[in-house]
Amino acid sequence: MAQWDALVDAALARLASRNLLRATRPIALAPPPAPPETFAGPGPWDRAAVEIQLDRATLHQWLAEGGEATGQEEEVDEKLILFSGNDYMGLSSHPAIRKAAVKAAQEYGMGPRGSALICGYTTYHKLVEESLAELKKKEDCLLCPTGFSANMAVMTALGSVSSLLSVGRKPAEGERIAVFSDALNHASIIDGIRLVERQQEVVAFVYKHCDMHHLDFLLLFSMDGDFAPLPELAHGTLVCGENGGGAPELFGCENDIDISVGTLSKAAGCQGGFIVCSNRWKRLIQSRGRSFIFSTALPVPVVASVYAALHVSKKERWRRSVIWRHVQYFASLTKLDLTSPIISIVVGSEEAALRAGRHMLRSGFHVTPIRPPTVPQNSCRLRITLSASHSLDDIKRLVDALSPWLPDKHDEQTYVMASKL
């Protein structure tokens, strides 16, 4: 990466010469309270993460999707087990996360409202950035409002290197940055690439999903497949690795990854996104990453809850063990080869997906059918997510309800894929 560092340093020098380097100026808040209480096993609060209730109007609307009218609507229980959420660790309902958010809201309200470069950044934000950088073994971290904005910020900052080094003109094709992107990458990565492509700052090469023969090096990672066959991906925060450092920790390749983008809206049970990287990359991204620059910073209660979630995840390691036991249990019941707490059961047409979704609803489960444009035509699916807050009985009953769509009970075109964390 020596050449990359030189390019970034040159881009930073160009920004500095034009007085365009930007830095956050944290507003001081009182230090957070002592580390929150943690527990040796699940508590009653965990069920709140997966037990939900729909109102009757919503229930009827869902059951009517696809034009079906059966007269069964009144028989459906409004109370459901949630298997569509992203709260893998079951932290969203944890007492420590609740208390942290409540305390911060009582003391600061939502906190100063503005972008991070104006007034929205506080010492709480800085504390979370330091914690994430330590977790991911990186020099620094940039906290973003969402994972989507984090990916967009990285892409626009990356493309800006070409423009900054091509003074007064658009970079020639040979001067643009080459981006290699998995065909099934997340929409935020795709949109970021398209933006900088239109600005003639990068040249994008899309490789077949997880096909390492179609790729010289892996730069990004997949949206709709299992773990990539090389350990050069940066996801699974809090779920993978002994300390929750994600797939890089799991594969022991943290030092080989220069920029890692993650979300706090999934395993952390909170909200937001982050970019862990070197100091130089952070300076560039916060100066040229448009989705970071022009977005309002996360509210202080959310940031306080993230800080608590990171502490709980570090102490309650049993949660990682539980979620992977659940993956193994689901696999043992279905005889499927799974590598992730997210399982996509592909059922084909939109009509088939809606029918399957209604069946799951009547069976007492919130499992959302995924349809175009999220997925291609005729690859609609039921997207199932397992959580540490589920019970083994929840999973057993779910598998029973899914039986018509599992490969050994359905036609040969049905298949299952483990999705990204």
Side-chain angles (χ1 to χ4, degrees):
M1 283 296 291
Q3 184 179 2
W4 258 115
D5 289 345
L7 289 172
V8 175
D9 285 343
L12 290 172
R14 177 66 181 162
L15 287 171
S17 70
R18 296 161 59 187
N19 198 29
L20 292 176
L21 274 181
R22 298 291 181 259
T24 52
R25 300 176 178 85
I27 291 174
L29 304 179
E37 183 181 8
T38 55
F39 305 92
W45 49 83
D46 281 286
R47 293 303 292 174
V50 294
E51 291 181 345
I52 63 166
Q53 182 169 331
L54 295 182
D55 62 70
R56 297 300 294 174
T58 300
L59 195 63
H60 289 172
Q61 182 181 20
W62 189 342
L63 288 168
E65 281 188 336
E68 182 187 71
T70 66
Q72 294 179 310
E73 285 78 355
E74 297 303 321
E75 302 172 12
V76 179
D77 194 340
E78 297 157 344
K79 295 180 180 179
L80 304 170
I81 301 299
L82 181 66
F83 274 100
S84 296
N86 292 324
D87 185 11
Y88 316 128
M89 298 280 284
L91 293 177
S92 64
S93 58
H94 194 284
I97 281 74
R98 295 184 185 197
K99 289 176 183 177
V102 168
K103 182 171 175 28
Q106 289 174 336
E107 293 184 358
Y108 306 112
M110 291 295 103
R113 303 282 66 214
S115 74
L117 296 178
I118 302 298
C119 67
Y121 187 81
T122 71
T123 48
Y124 272 42
H125 294 74
K126 187 173 187 294
L127 195 60
V128 168
E129 288 179 340
E130 291 170 349
S131 298
L132 287 165
E134 180 182 4
L135 177 67
K136 294 287 191 174
K137 295 183 171 58
K138 289 289 176 285
E139 280 186 327
D140 218 329
C141 174
L142 190 65
L143 197 57
C144 297
T146 64
F148 199 109
S149 67
N151 272 326
M152 291 288 288
V154 168
M155 286 301 163
T156 54
L158 185 68
S160 75
V161 174
S162 296
S163 294
L164 288 168
L165 300 184
S166 303
V167 182
R169 59 179 176 82
K170 286 287 185 183
E173 187 168 350
E175 297 172 322
R176 297 172 199 168
I177 299 202
V179 175
F180 294 81
S181 177
D182 190 293
L184 297 181
N185 261 328
H186 191 271
S188 57
I189 299 174
I190 294 170
D191 287 358
I193 292 172
R194 285 174 177 168
L195 175 61
V196 289
E197 268 191 307
R198 276 192 228 105
Q199 294 173 334
Q200 300 178 35
E201 294 177 331
V202 308
V203 178
F205 300 89
V206 178
Y207 61 88
K208 297 174 185 176
H209 174 54
C210 282
D211 186 343
M212 297 300 101
H213 296 292
H214 198 202
L215 182 66
D216 289 329
F217 61 91
L218 184 63
L219 191 61
L220 306 173
F221 93 107
S222 163
M223 186 259 178
D224 196 23
D226 52 4
F227 283 125
L230 289 181
E232 296 167 75
L233 50 82
H235 228 56
T237 302
L238 303 190
V239 176
C240 297
E242 183 180 354
N243 300 300
E249 180 186 10
L250 178 67
F251 289 116
C253 63
E254 290 143 315
N255 293 334
D256 299 322
I257 295 172
D258 298 286
I259 301 174
S260 177
V261 179
T263 176
L264 300 165
S265 309
K266 297 186 178 182
C270 299
Q271 178 68 32
F274 63 90
I275 306 161
V276 286
C277 53
S278 64
N279 298 138
R280 55 166 58 88
W281 270 109
K282 178 176 179 176
R283 291 198 301 274
L284 180 67
I285 295 168
Q286 68 187 9
S287 298
R288 304 300 283 179
R290 291 173 61 84
S291 58
F292 168 78
I293 295 169
F294 294 103
S295 293
T296 299
L298 286 169
V300 169
V302 173
V303 180
S305 68
V306 170
Y307 185 62
L310 294 174
H311 175 81
V312 171
S313 172
K314 185 183 297 184
K315 296 297 182 181
E316 295 187 7
R317 297 188 177 193
W318 57 265
R319 290 183 178 271
R320 277 185 284 282
S321 300
V322 168
I323 185 60
W324 289 110
R325 282 203 301 271
H326 285 175
V327 173
Q328 292 168 1
Y329 183 57
F330 189 100
S332 71
L333 293 175
T334 60
K335 310 304 180 188
L336 298 171
D337 183 17
L338 303 178
T339 59
S340 163
I342 303 181
I343 306 104
S344 292
I345 300 183
V346 180
V347 298
S349 68
E350 288 192 59
E351 181 183 356
L354 289 171
R355 187 166 57 250
R358 290 192 296 266
H359 171 79
M360 298 308 295
L361 192 62
R362 293 189 178 103
S363 300
F365 301 107
H366 189 293
V367 176
T368 305
I370 306 299
R371 299 176 284 160
T374 308
V375 295
Q377 291 286 343
N378 296 317
S379 67
C380 299
R381 62 203 64 189
L382 296 177
R383 182 180 183 273
I384 295 158
T385 55
L386 305 179
S387 168
S389 292
H390 287 126
S391 68
L392 294 180
D393 181 63
D394 292 335
I395 296 170
K396 175 65 169 61
R397 292 193 298 111
L398 174 75
V399 170
D400 289 343
L402 284 170
S403 60
W405 290 275
L406 294 175
D408 59 338
K409 297 286 183 70
H410 195 43
D411 64 71
E412 61 185 12
Q413 307 222 340
T414 301
Y415 60 99
V416 176
M417 298 183 300
S419 297
K420 73 162 181 137
L421 299 183

